[in-house]
Amino acid sequence: MNGPEILVGFDPGLRLFVPHTRRGGATPVVTDGVSTLGHVVESLGVPLTEVGALVVDGHEVPASHIPAAGEAVSVRAVERPQEVPGAPLRFLLDVHLGTLARRLRLLGVDAAYESTDIGDPALATRSAAEKRVLLSRDRGLLRRRELWAGAYVYSTRPADQLRDVLDRFHPELRPWTRCTACNGLLRQATKDEVADRLEHGTHRTYDVFAQCLDCGRAYWKGAHHDQLVAIVERALADYADHG
């Protein structure tokens, strides 16, 4: 680039995306004179899914703004809770976020998940077709133009990932209503209705069951139930009033 030079500064929460040399404050950026400000920001490493506002010389501008020489740009982080207009709030998670998907489903959040790598174009296309917020740690995927909406998952630890998504989007929580395996809705079921899906010990020990309306999987309060209850109770304590 050899066009107009501008000054660009990033909110502290966005600085992890940019080189260390740009993390101390506003720094000069030479543009090509034709690219949009959104393109410039993404070329510096920040997906637009993480940008809440672009402020030029004190005035908010759209991502389509063409920077002019001498402009001072402030790139702000998304405000929380983030509103996602136009559709019921639901998510699509990439292949690396299976544990997060299961925990969201445990809380009753609509969370589609691809257990195999179907490729970035297919994920972005599904996000648009089903109006789902794509959750990913892949910055390149989040820059795809086909996306309906997206969000970067900042942590590698599932517990932190869950807290981050709940804090950012405040989805309605309806625990124990979705299948953690396929995202389908659950219904109460009798022991006889799910008998063919139970081991002998389970059939003998448990009496309260649920079954997925989509895949038919049976659920009961088994050995890991206390761990699941702890996840649900923590989420409800922190976020139940945000739905």
Side-chain angles (χ1 to χ4, degrees), residues 26-49:
T27 57
V29 174
V30 178
T31 70
D32 61 9
V34 295
S35 293
T36 65
L37 182 55
H39 177 81
V40 172
V41 168
E42 288 197 320
S43 73
L44 296 173
V46 181
L48 289 183
T49 60

Side-chain angles (χ1 to χ4, degrees), residues 108-170:
V109 177
D110 188 339
Y113 163 67
E114 295 290 349
S115 60
T116 57
D117 190 354
I118 64 173
D120 289 2
L123 277 172
T125 299
R126 183 176 179 186
S127 165
E130 300 180 11
K131 289 184 168 55
R132 292 181 179 272
V133 180
L134 179 62
L135 303 179
S136 178
R137 286 181 50 77
D138 183 339
R139 303 177 195 184
L141 173 55
L142 293 174
R143 288 198 292 265
R144 295 195 69 90
R145 292 293 176 258
E146 310 98 299
L147 276 185
W148 181 73
Y152 183 74
V153 176
Y154 286 79
S155 176
T156 58
R157 298 179 65 251
D160 294 337
Q161 292 173 345
L162 182 62
R163 281 193 292 270
D164 184 39
V165 172
L166 296 183
D167 178 71
R168 178 165 175 170
F169 292 101
H170 289 189

